Short mmCIF file of all heavy atoms in Angstrom, two decimals:
data_model
loop_
_atom_site.label_atom_id
_atom_site.label_comp_id
_atom_site.label_asym_id
_atom_site.label_seq_id
_atom_site.Cartn_x
_atom_site.Cartn_y
_atom_site.Cartn_z
N MET N 1 0.76 -1.22 0.00
CA MET N 1 0.00 0.02 -0.01
C MET N 1 0.83 1.27 -0.06
O MET N 1 1.81 1.34 0.75
CB MET N 1 -0.94 -0.02 1.32
CG MET N 1 -1.79 1.21 1.35
SD MET N 1 -2.80 1.16 2.86
CE MET N 1 -3.54 2.88 2.74
N SER N 2 0.61 2.19 -0.96
CA SER N 2 1.43 3.38 -0.94
C SER N 2 0.48 4.58 -1.04
O SER N 2 -0.66 4.59 -1.51
CB SER N 2 2.28 3.35 -2.22
OG SER N 2 1.40 3.34 -3.40
N VAL N 3 0.95 5.66 -0.40
CA VAL N 3 0.19 6.90 -0.47
C VAL N 3 0.83 7.88 -1.54
O VAL N 3 2.14 8.05 -1.59
CB VAL N 3 0.15 7.49 0.95
CG1 VAL N 3 -0.44 8.84 0.83
CG2 VAL N 3 -0.41 6.62 1.90
N SER N 4 -0.03 8.59 -2.22
CA SER N 4 0.63 9.58 -3.13
C SER N 4 -0.15 10.82 -3.08
O SER N 4 -1.29 10.81 -2.68
CB SER N 4 0.58 9.08 -4.65
OG SER N 4 -0.76 8.85 -4.94
N VAL N 5 0.67 11.83 -3.37
CA VAL N 5 -0.05 13.20 -3.38
C VAL N 5 0.25 13.86 -4.77
O VAL N 5 1.09 13.38 -5.62
CB VAL N 5 0.53 14.06 -2.20
CG1 VAL N 5 0.23 13.55 -0.98
CG2 VAL N 5 2.00 14.27 -2.35
N ASN N 6 -0.32 14.99 -4.99
CA ASN N 6 -0.15 15.65 -6.22
C ASN N 6 0.83 16.80 -6.04
O ASN N 6 0.69 17.65 -5.03
CB ASN N 6 -1.40 16.30 -6.87
CG ASN N 6 -2.31 15.25 -7.44
OD1 ASN N 6 -1.94 14.19 -7.82
ND2 ASN N 6 -3.57 15.50 -7.41
N CYS N 7 1.82 16.96 -6.86
CA CYS N 7 2.79 18.05 -6.73
C CYS N 7 2.03 19.37 -6.83
O CYS N 7 1.35 19.59 -7.85
CB CYS N 7 3.83 17.88 -7.83
SG CYS N 7 4.91 19.32 -7.99
N PRO N 8 2.24 20.29 -5.91
CA PRO N 8 1.58 21.54 -5.94
C PRO N 8 1.98 22.34 -7.10
O PRO N 8 1.19 23.36 -7.45
CB PRO N 8 2.02 22.21 -4.60
CG PRO N 8 2.54 21.10 -3.74
CD PRO N 8 2.97 20.14 -4.65
N THR N 9 3.04 22.19 -7.81
CA THR N 9 3.59 22.95 -8.87
C THR N 9 3.12 22.41 -10.19
O THR N 9 2.57 23.11 -10.94
CB THR N 9 5.10 22.99 -8.90
OG1 THR N 9 5.55 23.65 -7.63
CG2 THR N 9 5.63 23.91 -9.99
N CYS N 10 3.28 21.14 -10.38
CA CYS N 10 2.97 20.58 -11.77
C CYS N 10 1.83 19.54 -11.66
O CYS N 10 1.40 19.03 -12.72
CB CYS N 10 4.12 20.01 -12.41
SG CYS N 10 4.78 18.51 -11.67
N GLN N 11 1.22 19.31 -10.62
CA GLN N 11 0.02 18.36 -10.35
C GLN N 11 0.54 16.91 -10.61
O GLN N 11 -0.44 16.10 -10.68
CB GLN N 11 -1.05 18.80 -11.21
CG GLN N 11 -1.54 20.25 -10.94
CD GLN N 11 -1.79 20.65 -9.44
OE1 GLN N 11 -2.45 19.83 -8.77
NE2 GLN N 11 -1.20 21.65 -8.96
N LYS N 12 1.72 16.57 -10.81
CA LYS N 12 2.15 15.21 -11.08
C LYS N 12 2.02 14.42 -9.76
O LYS N 12 2.26 14.91 -8.65
CB LYS N 12 3.57 15.27 -11.59
CG LYS N 12 4.13 13.90 -11.94
CD LYS N 12 5.62 14.04 -12.36
CE LYS N 12 6.34 12.79 -12.52
NZ LYS N 12 7.67 12.89 -12.71
N GLN N 13 1.68 13.10 -9.95
CA GLN N 13 1.50 12.21 -8.75
C GLN N 13 2.86 11.99 -8.14
O GLN N 13 3.88 11.62 -8.83
CB GLN N 13 0.83 11.07 -9.08
CG GLN N 13 -0.75 11.17 -8.97
CD GLN N 13 -1.37 9.73 -8.67
OE1 GLN N 13 -0.83 8.73 -8.97
NE2 GLN N 13 -2.57 9.77 -8.12
N VAL N 14 2.95 12.10 -6.83
CA VAL N 14 4.21 11.94 -6.16
C VAL N 14 3.95 10.79 -5.05
O VAL N 14 2.98 10.96 -4.25
CB VAL N 14 4.70 13.17 -5.46
CG1 VAL N 14 6.16 13.00 -4.86
CG2 VAL N 14 4.82 14.36 -6.49
N GLU N 15 4.74 9.79 -5.03
CA GLU N 15 4.58 8.78 -4.04
C GLU N 15 5.20 9.22 -2.71
O GLU N 15 6.26 9.79 -2.69
CB GLU N 15 5.35 7.47 -4.40
CG GLU N 15 5.02 6.35 -3.64
CD GLU N 15 5.57 5.01 -4.11
OE1 GLU N 15 6.06 5.02 -5.31
OE2 GLU N 15 5.65 4.08 -3.26
N TRP N 16 4.36 9.22 -1.68
CA TRP N 16 4.81 9.78 -0.40
C TRP N 16 5.70 8.61 0.31
O TRP N 16 5.21 7.76 1.03
CB TRP N 16 3.51 9.97 0.54
CG TRP N 16 3.93 10.87 1.64
CD1 TRP N 16 4.23 10.39 2.89
CD2 TRP N 16 3.80 12.29 1.77
NE1 TRP N 16 4.50 11.44 3.72
CE2 TRP N 16 4.22 12.63 3.12
CE3 TRP N 16 3.46 13.30 0.87
CZ2 TRP N 16 4.30 14.01 3.44
CZ3 TRP N 16 3.56 14.56 1.35
CH2 TRP N 16 3.97 14.87 2.63
N SER N 17 6.95 8.71 -0.02
CA SER N 17 7.93 7.81 0.57
C SER N 17 9.15 8.38 0.58
O SER N 17 9.45 9.44 0.17
CB SER N 17 7.86 6.47 -0.21
OG SER N 17 8.62 6.65 -1.47
N GLU N 18 10.07 7.56 1.07
CA GLU N 18 11.55 8.01 1.27
C GLU N 18 12.19 8.26 -0.11
O GLU N 18 13.22 8.92 -0.19
CB GLU N 18 12.35 6.99 2.05
CG GLU N 18 12.02 6.92 3.47
CD GLU N 18 12.07 8.13 4.29
OE1 GLU N 18 13.15 8.94 4.03
OE2 GLU N 18 11.13 8.53 4.94
N GLU N 19 11.51 7.64 -1.08
CA GLU N 19 12.10 7.81 -2.46
C GLU N 19 11.81 9.20 -3.11
O GLU N 19 12.23 9.49 -4.15
CB GLU N 19 11.58 6.72 -3.42
CG GLU N 19 12.20 5.42 -3.07
CD GLU N 19 11.68 4.36 -3.96
OE1 GLU N 19 11.38 4.71 -5.17
OE2 GLU N 19 11.68 3.13 -3.56
N SER N 20 10.87 10.02 -2.40
CA SER N 20 10.55 11.29 -2.85
C SER N 20 11.02 12.45 -1.89
O SER N 20 10.15 12.93 -1.05
CB SER N 20 9.11 11.44 -3.14
OG SER N 20 8.65 10.39 -4.02
N PRO N 21 12.35 12.66 -1.69
CA PRO N 21 12.82 13.57 -0.73
C PRO N 21 12.17 15.00 -0.72
O PRO N 21 12.16 15.66 0.13
CB PRO N 21 14.22 13.61 -0.94
CG PRO N 21 14.41 13.21 -2.32
CD PRO N 21 13.31 12.17 -2.68
N ALA N 22 11.66 15.29 -2.03
CA ALA N 22 11.30 16.66 -2.15
C ALA N 22 9.57 16.77 -1.98
O ALA N 22 9.06 17.82 -2.23
CB ALA N 22 11.54 17.19 -3.60
N ARG N 23 9.04 15.68 -1.44
CA ARG N 23 7.61 15.64 -1.27
C ARG N 23 7.20 16.83 -0.40
O ARG N 23 7.90 17.26 0.50
CB ARG N 23 7.25 14.36 -0.69
CG ARG N 23 7.73 14.07 0.63
CD ARG N 23 7.37 12.61 1.01
NE ARG N 23 7.76 12.29 2.34
CZ ARG N 23 8.98 11.88 2.68
NH1 ARG N 23 9.90 11.71 1.77
NH2 ARG N 23 9.23 11.63 4.00
N PRO N 24 5.98 17.37 -0.64
CA PRO N 24 5.04 16.98 -1.61
C PRO N 24 5.28 17.30 -3.06
O PRO N 24 4.29 16.99 -3.87
CB PRO N 24 3.67 17.67 -1.14
CG PRO N 24 4.18 18.94 -0.57
CD PRO N 24 5.53 18.62 0.11
N PHE N 25 6.38 17.85 -3.32
CA PHE N 25 6.83 18.21 -4.63
C PHE N 25 7.35 17.02 -5.37
O PHE N 25 7.91 16.15 -4.73
CB PHE N 25 7.70 19.45 -4.79
CG PHE N 25 7.23 20.61 -4.02
CD1 PHE N 25 7.45 20.85 -2.77
CD2 PHE N 25 6.44 21.51 -4.84
CE1 PHE N 25 7.01 22.05 -2.15
CE2 PHE N 25 5.98 22.67 -4.18
CZ PHE N 25 6.29 22.91 -2.85
N CYS N 26 7.19 16.88 -6.67
CA CYS N 26 7.76 15.72 -7.42
C CYS N 26 9.32 15.74 -7.66
O CYS N 26 9.97 14.74 -7.71
CB CYS N 26 7.12 15.76 -8.82
SG CYS N 26 7.67 16.89 -9.92
N SER N 27 9.91 17.02 -7.43
CA SER N 27 11.17 17.08 -7.53
C SER N 27 11.79 18.35 -6.87
O SER N 27 10.92 19.22 -6.57
CB SER N 27 11.69 17.14 -9.04
OG SER N 27 11.15 18.35 -9.71
N GLU N 28 13.05 18.48 -6.73
CA GLU N 28 13.59 19.63 -6.21
C GLU N 28 13.28 20.95 -6.97
O GLU N 28 13.22 22.04 -6.43
CB GLU N 28 15.13 19.51 -5.99
CG GLU N 28 15.76 20.43 -5.02
CD GLU N 28 15.35 20.29 -3.52
OE1 GLU N 28 15.00 19.06 -3.26
OE2 GLU N 28 15.37 21.16 -2.73
N ARG N 29 13.28 20.75 -8.31
CA ARG N 29 12.99 21.87 -9.17
C ARG N 29 11.58 22.46 -8.86
O ARG N 29 11.43 23.65 -8.79
CB ARG N 29 13.06 21.33 -10.62
CG ARG N 29 12.55 22.38 -11.71
CD ARG N 29 12.70 21.90 -13.03
NE ARG N 29 14.14 21.96 -13.44
CZ ARG N 29 14.52 22.19 -14.68
NH1 ARG N 29 13.55 22.53 -15.55
NH2 ARG N 29 15.77 22.30 -15.07
N CYS N 30 10.51 21.54 -8.78
CA CYS N 30 9.23 22.09 -8.55
C CYS N 30 9.13 22.71 -7.14
O CYS N 30 8.46 23.69 -7.06
CB CYS N 30 8.23 20.89 -8.59
SG CYS N 30 7.75 20.56 -10.30
N LYS N 31 9.99 22.26 -6.27
CA LYS N 31 9.94 22.85 -4.89
C LYS N 31 10.51 24.28 -4.99
O LYS N 31 9.99 25.23 -4.38
CB LYS N 31 10.91 22.03 -4.02
CG LYS N 31 10.87 22.40 -2.52
CD LYS N 31 11.64 21.38 -1.78
CE LYS N 31 11.91 21.85 -0.33
NZ LYS N 31 12.84 20.89 0.39
N LEU N 32 11.55 24.43 -5.80
CA LEU N 32 12.14 25.77 -5.87
C LEU N 32 11.24 26.70 -6.70
O LEU N 32 11.19 27.88 -6.34
CB LEU N 32 13.54 25.67 -6.63
CG LEU N 32 14.73 25.03 -5.81
CD1 LEU N 32 15.89 24.76 -6.62
CD2 LEU N 32 14.99 25.72 -4.64
N ILE N 33 10.62 26.21 -7.63
CA ILE N 33 9.65 27.09 -8.38
C ILE N 33 8.63 27.56 -7.55
O ILE N 33 8.21 28.77 -7.57
CB ILE N 33 9.05 26.22 -9.66
CG1 ILE N 33 10.07 26.00 -10.65
CG2 ILE N 33 7.89 26.90 -10.19
CD1 ILE N 33 9.53 24.97 -11.70
N ASP N 34 8.00 26.71 -6.73
CA ASP N 34 7.01 27.11 -5.75
C ASP N 34 7.48 28.18 -4.83
O ASP N 34 6.96 29.24 -4.60
CB ASP N 34 6.41 25.91 -5.00
CG ASP N 34 5.13 26.31 -4.27
OD1 ASP N 34 4.17 26.54 -4.87
OD2 ASP N 34 5.30 26.33 -3.00
N LEU N 35 8.64 27.98 -4.28
CA LEU N 35 9.25 28.99 -3.36
C LEU N 35 9.49 30.21 -3.99
O LEU N 35 9.35 31.42 -3.52
CB LEU N 35 10.60 28.40 -2.65
CG LEU N 35 10.36 27.24 -1.74
CD1 LEU N 35 11.69 26.67 -1.33
CD2 LEU N 35 9.51 27.66 -0.56
N GLY N 36 9.89 30.13 -5.28
CA GLY N 36 10.25 31.38 -6.08
C GLY N 36 9.06 32.27 -6.36
O GLY N 36 9.18 33.47 -6.22
N GLU N 37 7.91 31.54 -6.57
CA GLU N 37 6.71 32.28 -6.84
C GLU N 37 6.25 33.19 -5.59
O GLU N 37 5.91 34.15 -5.65
CB GLU N 37 5.55 31.32 -7.24
CG GLU N 37 5.73 30.84 -8.59
CD GLU N 37 4.65 29.98 -9.04
OE1 GLU N 37 3.79 29.67 -8.27
OE2 GLU N 37 4.63 29.49 -10.21
N TRP N 38 6.56 32.50 -4.43
CA TRP N 38 6.17 33.36 -3.19
C TRP N 38 7.06 34.51 -3.07
O TRP N 38 6.59 35.60 -2.76
CB TRP N 38 6.41 32.27 -1.96
CG TRP N 38 5.13 31.49 -1.79
CD1 TRP N 38 5.05 30.15 -2.02
CD2 TRP N 38 3.97 31.82 -1.07
NE1 TRP N 38 3.78 29.65 -1.62
CE2 TRP N 38 3.04 30.72 -1.06
CE3 TRP N 38 3.42 33.11 -0.63
CZ2 TRP N 38 1.84 30.80 -0.58
CZ3 TRP N 38 2.22 33.13 -0.09
CH2 TRP N 38 1.35 31.99 -0.05
N ALA N 39 8.37 34.35 -3.39
CA ALA N 39 9.38 35.34 -3.21
C ALA N 39 8.97 36.50 -4.21
O ALA N 39 8.99 37.61 -3.83
CB ALA N 39 10.77 34.91 -3.48
N ASN N 40 8.55 36.12 -5.36
CA ASN N 40 8.19 37.24 -6.35
C ASN N 40 6.99 37.97 -5.84
O ASN N 40 6.97 39.28 -6.09
CB ASN N 40 8.02 36.55 -7.78
CG ASN N 40 9.22 36.17 -8.41
OD1 ASN N 40 10.19 36.62 -8.20
ND2 ASN N 40 9.12 35.16 -9.33
N GLU N 41 5.98 37.32 -5.39
CA GLU N 41 4.77 38.07 -4.94
C GLU N 41 5.03 38.99 -3.80
O GLU N 41 4.56 40.11 -3.78
CB GLU N 41 3.82 37.08 -4.41
CG GLU N 41 3.05 36.37 -5.48
CD GLU N 41 2.02 35.39 -5.01
OE1 GLU N 41 1.55 35.63 -3.73
OE2 GLU N 41 1.61 34.42 -5.67
N GLU N 42 6.08 38.70 -2.99
CA GLU N 42 6.50 39.56 -1.88
C GLU N 42 7.29 40.77 -2.42
O GLU N 42 7.10 41.86 -1.95
CB GLU N 42 7.37 38.90 -0.84
CG GLU N 42 6.57 38.01 0.07
CD GLU N 42 7.36 37.20 1.04
OE1 GLU N 42 8.45 37.62 1.29
OE2 GLU N 42 6.90 36.23 1.59
N LYS N 43 8.15 40.54 -3.48
CA LYS N 43 8.95 41.62 -4.01
C LYS N 43 8.18 42.65 -4.94
O LYS N 43 8.53 43.83 -4.95
CB LYS N 43 10.07 41.09 -4.84
CG LYS N 43 11.21 40.55 -3.93
CD LYS N 43 12.31 39.90 -4.76
CE LYS N 43 13.25 39.20 -3.95
NZ LYS N 43 14.23 38.33 -4.71
N SER N 44 7.09 42.11 -5.58
CA SER N 44 6.41 42.96 -6.60
C SER N 44 5.81 44.20 -5.91
O SER N 44 5.16 43.96 -4.78
CB SER N 44 5.40 42.10 -7.26
OG SER N 44 4.40 41.79 -6.38
N ILE N 45 5.85 45.32 -6.38
CA ILE N 45 5.26 46.51 -5.96
C ILE N 45 3.94 46.94 -6.83
O ILE N 45 4.09 47.06 -8.00
CB ILE N 45 6.11 47.73 -6.05
CG1 ILE N 45 7.48 47.46 -5.45
CG2 ILE N 45 5.49 48.99 -5.50
CD1 ILE N 45 8.67 48.30 -5.72
N PRO N 46 2.80 46.71 -6.17
CA PRO N 46 1.45 46.80 -6.92
C PRO N 46 1.32 48.36 -7.32
O PRO N 46 1.59 49.26 -6.50
CB PRO N 46 0.45 46.36 -5.87
CG PRO N 46 1.01 46.53 -4.52
CD PRO N 46 2.49 46.39 -4.70
N GLY N 47 0.91 48.59 -8.53
CA GLY N 47 0.63 49.89 -8.96
C GLY N 47 1.75 50.79 -9.44
O GLY N 47 1.45 51.93 -9.71
N GLU N 48 2.92 50.17 -9.59
CA GLU N 48 3.96 50.92 -10.05
C GLU N 48 3.88 51.13 -11.59
O GLU N 48 3.77 50.24 -12.29
CB GLU N 48 5.42 50.20 -9.66
CG GLU N 48 6.48 51.03 -9.98
CD GLU N 48 7.88 50.27 -9.61
OE1 GLU N 48 7.82 49.06 -9.43
OE2 GLU N 48 8.95 50.90 -9.59
N PRO N 49 3.87 52.33 -11.92
CA PRO N 49 3.75 52.55 -13.35
C PRO N 49 4.88 52.20 -14.28
O PRO N 49 6.08 52.35 -13.75
CB PRO N 49 3.42 54.05 -13.51
CG PRO N 49 4.06 54.70 -12.27
CD PRO N 49 4.04 53.60 -11.29
N VAL N 50 4.64 51.75 -15.49
CA VAL N 50 5.80 51.51 -16.39
C VAL N 50 5.92 52.74 -17.35
O VAL N 50 5.02 53.02 -18.06
CB VAL N 50 5.46 50.23 -17.13
CG1 VAL N 50 6.60 50.07 -18.28
CG2 VAL N 50 5.27 49.06 -16.22
N VAL N 51 7.01 53.41 -17.28
CA VAL N 51 7.26 54.49 -18.00
C VAL N 51 8.21 54.26 -19.21
O VAL N 51 9.34 53.84 -18.98
CB VAL N 51 7.87 55.57 -17.12
CG1 VAL N 51 8.17 56.99 -17.97
CG2 VAL N 51 7.02 55.91 -15.95
N ILE N 52 7.78 54.64 -20.39
CA ILE N 52 8.64 54.36 -21.61
C ILE N 52 9.12 55.76 -21.94
O ILE N 52 8.26 56.58 -22.43
CB ILE N 52 7.85 53.81 -22.73
CG1 ILE N 52 7.44 52.47 -22.33
CG2 ILE N 52 8.76 53.69 -23.91
CD1 ILE N 52 6.41 51.72 -23.22
N ALA N 53 10.33 56.11 -21.79
CA ALA N 53 10.87 57.46 -21.90
C ALA N 53 11.35 57.65 -23.30
O ALA N 53 12.54 57.58 -23.65
CB ALA N 53 11.94 57.77 -20.88
N ASN N 54 10.42 57.97 -24.21
CA ASN N 54 10.87 58.41 -25.52
C ASN N 54 9.96 59.61 -26.08
O ASN N 54 9.84 59.85 -27.15
CB ASN N 54 10.65 57.24 -26.59
CG ASN N 54 9.12 56.79 -26.67
OD1 ASN N 54 8.33 57.25 -25.96
ND2 ASN N 54 8.92 55.79 -27.52
N ASP N 55 9.64 60.48 -25.00
CA ASP N 55 8.87 61.74 -25.28
C ASP N 55 9.80 62.70 -26.11
O ASP N 55 9.41 63.39 -26.99
CB ASP N 55 8.40 62.42 -24.01
CG ASP N 55 7.25 61.57 -23.52
OD1 ASP N 55 6.75 60.75 -24.22
OD2 ASP N 55 6.78 61.95 -22.39
N ASP N 56 11.09 62.71 -25.78
CA ASP N 56 11.93 63.67 -26.35
C ASP N 56 12.11 63.31 -27.88
O ASP N 56 12.06 64.17 -28.79
CB ASP N 56 13.37 63.62 -25.80
CG ASP N 56 13.32 64.20 -24.39
OD1 ASP N 56 12.47 65.00 -24.17
OD2 ASP N 56 14.39 63.95 -23.64
N TYR N 57 12.20 62.08 -28.21
CA TYR N 57 12.21 61.61 -29.57
C TYR N 57 11.09 62.03 -30.38
O TYR N 57 11.27 62.65 -31.53
CB TYR N 57 12.43 60.02 -29.57
CG TYR N 57 12.47 59.52 -30.95
CD1 TYR N 57 13.61 59.59 -31.75
CD2 TYR N 57 11.34 58.84 -31.60
CE1 TYR N 57 13.79 59.10 -32.97
CE2 TYR N 57 11.49 58.37 -32.80
CZ TYR N 57 12.71 58.42 -33.62
OH TYR N 57 12.76 57.93 -34.80
N ASN N 58 9.82 61.87 -29.85
CA ASN N 58 8.70 62.36 -30.47
C ASN N 58 8.69 63.86 -30.75
O ASN N 58 8.23 64.28 -31.80
CB ASN N 58 7.47 61.88 -29.60
CG ASN N 58 7.09 60.36 -29.64
OD1 ASN N 58 7.67 59.75 -30.60
ND2 ASN N 58 6.55 59.80 -28.77
N ASN N 59 9.13 64.67 -29.81
CA ASN N 59 9.04 66.05 -29.89
C ASN N 59 10.01 66.40 -31.12
O ASN N 59 9.78 67.30 -31.98
CB ASN N 59 9.68 66.79 -28.53
CG ASN N 59 8.51 66.72 -27.58
OD1 ASN N 59 7.41 66.47 -27.88
ND2 ASN N 59 9.03 66.86 -26.36
N ASP N 60 11.16 65.66 -31.21
CA ASP N 60 12.16 66.11 -32.34
C ASP N 60 11.47 65.80 -33.70
O ASP N 60 11.64 66.55 -34.65
CB ASP N 60 13.36 65.17 -32.22
CG ASP N 60 14.19 65.76 -31.01
OD1 ASP N 60 14.15 66.84 -30.62
OD2 ASP N 60 15.14 64.99 -30.58
N GLU N 61 10.68 64.87 -33.74
CA GLU N 61 10.01 64.40 -35.05
C GLU N 61 9.06 65.55 -35.43
O GLU N 61 8.95 65.82 -36.62
CB GLU N 61 9.27 63.14 -34.85
CG GLU N 61 10.23 61.89 -35.21
CD GLU N 61 9.32 60.73 -35.49
OE1 GLU N 61 8.26 60.58 -34.96
OE2 GLU N 61 9.72 59.89 -36.23
N GLN N 62 8.36 66.08 -34.44
CA GLN N 62 7.35 67.19 -34.75
C GLN N 62 7.99 68.35 -35.26
O GLN N 62 7.37 69.17 -36.00
CB GLN N 62 6.57 67.50 -33.51
CG GLN N 62 5.51 66.33 -33.12
CD GLN N 62 4.84 66.62 -31.84
OE1 GLN N 62 5.09 67.59 -31.15
NE2 GLN N 62 3.85 65.77 -31.46
N ASP N 63 9.28 68.67 -34.91
CA ASP N 63 9.89 69.88 -35.35
C ASP N 63 10.30 69.86 -36.86
O ASP N 63 10.47 70.88 -37.41
CB ASP N 63 11.29 70.08 -34.63
CG ASP N 63 10.99 70.49 -33.03
OD1 ASP N 63 9.92 71.07 -32.88
OD2 ASP N 63 11.85 70.27 -32.25
N TYR N 64 10.31 68.74 -37.49
CA TYR N 64 10.67 68.62 -38.85
C TYR N 64 9.63 69.18 -39.77
O TYR N 64 8.48 68.93 -39.76
CB TYR N 64 10.99 67.21 -39.20
CG TYR N 64 12.44 66.90 -38.87
CD1 TYR N 64 12.65 65.79 -37.89
CD2 TYR N 64 13.51 67.52 -39.43
CE1 TYR N 64 14.04 65.60 -37.50
CE2 TYR N 64 14.86 67.04 -39.04
CZ TYR N 64 15.03 66.13 -38.12
OH TYR N 64 16.22 65.79 -37.77
ZN1 ZN R 101 6.21 18.80 -9.98
#
């Protein structure tokens, strides 16, 4: 009898045993991906505007 869970990252079935050291993730990679997503959510600044600074270029074109 074996117990298995779904990997939170890729939903792959993972056997809950000593053979799956990264459980409940299927692999160390999926574990890192999940941790990375958490880190990105904490770092992101909501509402920060994206400015594309090419206004000067447009002004020069209008002078012609
Ligand atoms: Zn996985």
Side-chain angles (χ1 to χ4, degrees):
M1 179 181 170
S2 64
V3 177
S4 62
V5 296
N6 287 333
C7 170
T9 302
C10 69
Q11 306 303 316
K12 184 180 166 185
Q13 270 208 339
V14 185
E15 194 176 338
W16 194 274
S17 70
E18 294 301 317
E19 290 182 30
S20 307
R23 64 188 185 275
F25 302 93
C26 69
S27 64
E28 196 69 22
R29 171 177 283 217
C30 277
K31 188 177 174 181
L32 290 175
I33 289 172
D34 192 71
L35 292 174
E37 284 181 2
W38 277 103
N40 285 338
E41 279 181 26
E42 284 180 17
K43 281 178 191 169
S44 66
I45 304 165
E48 189 178 13
V50 178
V51 179
I52 301 169
N54 59 358
D55 284 349
D56 289 342
Y57 179 75
N58 288 338
N59 287 340
D60 286 341
E61 271 196 334
Q62 285 175 356
D63 288 335
Y64 279 112

